[in-house]
Amino acid sequence: ADVVALSGAAAVEAAKGPHIPIQLGREDVDHADNRFFDHPIQSESERSTLSTSLPSAALDSLGLRNYFYRLGLTESEMVALSGSHDLGRHVTLTGMSKDCLKNLTRTCLEEAPVLAPFVSADPDTLSNRYFKTLLRWNQRNIEYGEALFIPTDVALVVDDKLRRHVVAFANDEKLFFDRYVRAYQKLVDSTATSKARY
């Protein structure tokens, strides 16, 4: 289990992100968490109800709060973790066959014709560019293909309380990195047994 926590921290640093010192001593397990909760955590709407162990891409701002508050994260830390969308690529439905779109299966997603970055400028480097691009998207000041955001990204700028963190991180990359480190540590250190950080 320590390898997963260390690998994530190393990947962030390799992408020119911050160094993330983490505690060690997690116990390995022989099975994964259940994908679906035995009892969904009900909320005001379907988009804010939690039913899976990973957050749905369709969660609204209340759903994001419900998910990340139960993990002990603040709004600022939750928004900082979303900054991970500056990295990598995700499956997009663009170019997918009609049969797959009608019956979206794991095979359809794994064989998707297009893996697109959330922010196209440099998907292999972590910076505060995601937040700057998200604000420009919200102002409708963005070029076609420059970003492919999902509903949880959009929730960060349409909710006034969350948008203030987006603005702060867009203006201050060091603040973003500091909050990102703190959020990552909260997520991975909760099951560590040592106090020393690696």
Side-chain angles (χ1 to χ4, degrees), residues 122-159:
D122 185 0
D124 299 320
T125 302
L126 183 66
S127 70
N128 64 342
R129 176 182 44 251
Y130 163 82
F131 301 106
K132 293 176 181 181
T133 307
L134 195 53
L135 290 171
R136 287 192 302 104
W137 175 89
N138 193 49
Q139 298 163 347
R140 308 299 186 258
N141 186 18
I142 194 168
E143 297 294 322
Y144 178 78
E146 188 177 349
L148 291 172
F149 294 122
I150 59 176
T152 54
D153 298 317
V154 173
L156 302 180
V157 289
V158 298
D159 181 293

XYZ file of all heavy atoms in Angstrom, residues 122-159:
317
model
N -0.435 21.473 -21.920
C 0.684 20.610 -21.545
C 0.184 19.584 -20.534
O 0.340 19.773 -19.335
C 1.823 21.445 -20.953
C 3.070 20.621 -20.665
O 3.066 19.397 -20.927
O 4.053 21.189 -20.154
N -0.408 18.487 -21.003
C -1.032 17.524 -20.094
C -0.061 16.676 -19.276
O -0.488 15.818 -18.517
C -1.872 16.650 -21.020
C -1.186 16.740 -22.336
C -0.603 18.122 -22.402
N 1.238 16.934 -19.412
C 2.222 16.165 -18.662
C 2.926 16.991 -17.588
O 3.905 16.536 -16.995
C 3.252 15.558 -19.626
C 2.600 14.607 -20.613
O 1.698 13.855 -20.203
O 2.979 14.630 -21.797
N 2.447 18.204 -17.343
C 3.035 19.089 -16.342
C 1.944 19.606 -15.421
O 0.905 20.076 -15.889
C 3.741 20.283 -17.018
O 4.745 19.787 -17.905
C 4.379 21.200 -15.999
N 2.179 19.526 -14.113
C 1.220 20.053 -13.137
C 1.550 21.510 -12.849
O 2.691 21.845 -12.528
C 1.266 19.238 -11.840
C 0.250 19.659 -10.778
C -1.173 19.372 -11.247
C 0.527 18.945 -9.462
N 0.554 22.356 -12.994
C 0.701 23.776 -12.684
C -0.682 24.299 -12.314
O -1.637 23.542 -12.215
C 1.245 24.537 -13.905
O 0.255 24.587 -14.916
N -0.803 25.602 -12.156
C -2.117 26.189 -11.865
C -2.864 26.551 -13.156
O -3.896 27.207 -13.117
C -1.990 27.403 -10.945
C -1.224 28.554 -11.560
O -0.494 28.378 -12.532
N -1.381 29.737 -10.987
N -2.376 26.091 -14.285
C -3.006 26.359 -15.587
C -4.466 25.876 -15.634
O -5.323 26.506 -16.228
C -2.177 25.688 -16.683
C -2.738 25.794 -18.080
C -1.873 25.054 -19.103
N -1.464 23.750 -18.621
C -0.201 23.447 -18.265
N 0.754 24.324 -18.379
N 0.095 22.246 -17.825
N -4.754 24.731 -15.001
C -6.122 24.197 -14.960
C -7.093 25.259 -14.424
O -8.163 25.479 -14.996
C -6.144 22.935 -14.084
C -7.498 22.494 -13.609
C -8.335 21.742 -14.430
C -7.936 22.802 -12.329
C -9.578 21.316 -13.990
C -9.172 22.369 -11.873
C -9.985 21.628 -12.706
O -11.213 21.215 -12.256
N -6.720 25.926 -13.351
C -7.594 26.928 -12.731
C -7.749 28.159 -13.618
O -8.847 28.697 -13.752
C -7.070 27.306 -11.347
C -6.988 26.127 -10.414
C -5.771 25.569 -10.086
C -8.143 25.551 -9.901
C -5.698 24.468 -9.247
C -8.088 24.453 -9.068
C -6.860 23.906 -8.737
N -6.668 28.582 -14.244
C -6.737 29.724 -15.166
C -7.649 29.402 -16.348
O -8.475 30.224 -16.756
C -5.331 30.079 -15.670
C -4.419 30.626 -14.598
C -3.023 30.863 -15.155
C -2.094 31.396 -14.092
N -0.754 31.662 -14.595
N -7.501 28.192 -16.880
C -8.315 27.776 -18.030
C -9.777 27.628 -17.630
O -10.681 28.013 -18.377
C -7.773 26.458 -18.621
O -6.378 26.616 -18.898
C -8.509 26.086 -19.895
N -10.029 27.107 -16.458
C -11.399 26.948 -15.960
C -12.089 28.309 -15.820
O -13.262 28.465 -16.208
C -11.369 26.217 -14.620
C -12.664 25.644 -14.076
C -13.360 24.737 -15.073
C -12.383 24.880 -12.780
N -11.373 29.299 -15.336
C -11.950 30.652 -15.224
C -12.221 31.251 -16.597
O -13.261 31.882 -16.815
C -11.026 31.562 -14.407
C -10.944 31.252 -12.921
C -9.842 32.076 -12.260
C -12.288 31.493 -12.238
N -11.311 31.046 -17.526
C -11.541 31.556 -18.889
C -12.717 30.836 -19.536
O -13.504 31.442 -20.250
C -10.270 31.427 -19.744
C -9.207 32.437 -19.344
C -8.048 32.564 -20.326
N -7.340 31.314 -20.569
C -7.466 30.575 -21.671
N -8.274 30.937 -22.644
N -6.775 29.460 -21.815
N -12.852 29.529 -19.273
C -14.001 28.784 -19.790
C -15.299 29.386 -19.245
O -16.264 29.575 -19.984
C -13.900 27.303 -19.387
C -15.115 26.525 -19.778
C -15.335 25.887 -20.958
C -16.301 26.349 -18.997
N -16.588 25.313 -20.957
C -17.205 25.584 -19.763
C -16.693 26.761 -17.720
C -18.461 25.216 -19.298
C -17.950 26.401 -17.250
C -18.811 25.634 -18.046
N -15.308 29.696 -17.964
C -16.511 30.253 -17.332
C -16.863 31.626 -17.905
O -18.029 32.008 -17.931
C -16.315 30.340 -15.817
C -17.605 30.597 -15.084
O -18.610 29.937 -15.321
N -17.591 31.577 -14.200
N -15.870 32.346 -18.390
C -16.099 33.661 -19.013
C -16.341 33.524 -20.519
O -16.455 34.515 -21.221
C -14.887 34.571 -18.772
C -14.634 34.861 -17.320
C -13.235 35.398 -17.070
O -12.351 35.356 -17.928
N -13.016 35.894 -15.860
N -16.397 32.296 -21.000
C -16.580 31.984 -22.434
C -15.473 32.608 -23.280
O -15.692 33.090 -24.373
C -17.955 32.433 -22.950
C -19.138 31.947 -22.150
C -19.197 30.420 -22.136
N -20.407 29.917 -21.495
C -20.460 29.430 -20.255
N -19.380 29.405 -19.510
N -21.593 28.972 -19.751
N -14.271 32.572 -22.728
C -13.104 33.152 -23.382
C -12.063 32.049 -23.614
O -10.949 32.114 -23.116
C -12.531 34.273 -22.502
C -11.412 35.000 -23.182
O -11.247 34.926 -24.398
N -10.614 35.708 -22.400
N -12.470 31.025 -24.360
C -11.620 29.864 -24.553
C -11.753 29.387 -26.001
O -12.809 29.528 -26.612
C -12.021 28.758 -23.550
C -10.966 27.679 -23.469
C -13.379 28.205 -23.825
C -11.166 26.740 -22.293
N -10.682 28.843 -26.539
C -10.685 28.326 -27.903
C -11.245 26.907 -27.932
O -11.038 26.127 -26.987
C -9.263 28.323 -28.477
C -8.644 29.697 -28.599
C -9.347 30.572 -29.612
O -9.768 30.046 -30.662
O -9.467 31.784 -29.345
N -11.885 26.546 -29.015
C -12.408 25.193 -29.187
C -11.267 24.188 -29.063
O -10.211 24.349 -29.673
C -13.093 25.061 -30.554
C -13.618 23.673 -30.818
C -14.804 23.235 -30.241
C -12.902 22.786 -31.607
C -15.270 21.953 -30.454
C -13.360 21.503 -31.836
C -14.544 21.089 -31.255
O -15.000 19.819 -31.461
N -11.458 23.161 -28.258
C -10.462 22.120 -28.075
C -9.399 22.426 -27.046
O -8.553 21.596 -26.743
N -9.430 23.623 -26.472
C -8.420 24.009 -25.493
C -8.598 23.265 -24.169
O -7.635 23.031 -23.448
C -8.491 25.520 -25.268
C -7.381 26.076 -24.432
C -7.449 27.580 -24.308
O -8.229 28.240 -25.022
O -6.710 28.113 -23.464
N -9.841 22.909 -23.861
C -10.128 22.191 -22.615
C -11.365 21.328 -22.795
O -12.275 21.689 -23.539
C -10.329 23.184 -21.478
N -11.373 20.190 -22.133
C -12.535 19.301 -22.110
C -12.863 19.019 -20.649
O -12.332 18.077 -20.058
C -12.239 17.995 -22.850
C -12.075 18.103 -24.353
C -11.590 16.791 -24.936
C -13.393 18.498 -24.997
N -13.669 19.865 -20.069
C -14.001 19.730 -18.663
C -15.175 18.779 -18.463
O -16.003 18.595 -19.350
C -14.327 21.097 -18.056
C -13.143 22.022 -18.012
C -13.184 23.251 -18.641
C -11.986 21.655 -17.340
C -12.096 24.104 -18.596
C -10.884 22.493 -17.297
C -10.941 23.729 -17.923
N -15.225 18.183 -17.283
C -16.335 17.320 -16.897
C -17.192 18.081 -15.887
O -16.788 19.132 -15.382
C -15.823 15.970 -16.345
C -14.920 16.172 -15.129
C -15.112 15.182 -17.436
C -14.448 14.885 -14.467
N -18.390 17.583 -15.576
C -19.280 18.325 -14.670
C -18.665 18.719 -13.320
O -18.948 19.803 -12.809
C -20.459 17.378 -14.493
C -20.521 16.640 -15.796
C -19.074 16.423 -16.172
N -17.808 17.873 -12.747
C -17.210 18.255 -11.463
C -16.277 19.460 -11.608
O -16.138 20.244 -10.673
C -16.442 17.079 -10.821
O -15.486 16.566 -11.759
C -17.384 15.981 -10.369
N -15.653 19.616 -12.767
C -14.825 20.806 -13.014
C -15.709 22.046 -13.059
O -15.419 23.062 -12.422
C -14.065 20.676 -14.338
C -13.098 19.513 -14.371
O -12.381 19.305 -13.375
O -13.063 18.812 -15.396
N -16.783 21.952 -13.815
C -17.701 23.081 -13.983
C -18.301 23.491 -12.639
O -18.469 24.681 -12.357
C -18.806 22.718 -15.007
C -19.860 23.796 -15.078
C -18.177 22.466 -16.377
N -18.579 22.503 -11.785
C -19.155 22.799 -10.465
C -18.265 23.746 -9.663
O -18.760 24.541 -8.863
C -19.380 21.505 -9.684
N -16.961 23.695 -9.894
C -16.035 24.537 -9.139
C -16.164 26.016 -9.469
O -15.812 26.865 -8.652
C -14.592 24.094 -9.375
C -14.250 22.650 -9.023
C -12.778 22.376 -9.324
C -14.576 22.342 -7.580
N -16.641 26.349 -10.664
C -16.747 27.766 -11.030
C -18.178 28.294 -10.992
O -18.377 29.508 -10.990
C -16.112 28.074 -12.406
C -14.604 27.989 -12.329
C -16.675 27.213 -13.497
N -19.158 27.419 -10.962
C -20.540 27.914 -10.884
C -20.994 28.068 -9.436
O -22.007 28.709 -9.170
C -21.539 27.038 -11.680
C -21.179 27.034 -13.156
C -21.612 25.635 -11.133
N -20.250 27.504 -8.512
C -20.527 27.651 -7.082
C -19.631 28.769 -6.550
O -18.405 28.671 -6.600
C -20.226 26.320 -6.378
C -20.494 26.357 -4.892
O -19.768 27.089 -4.175
O -21.404 25.637 -4.437
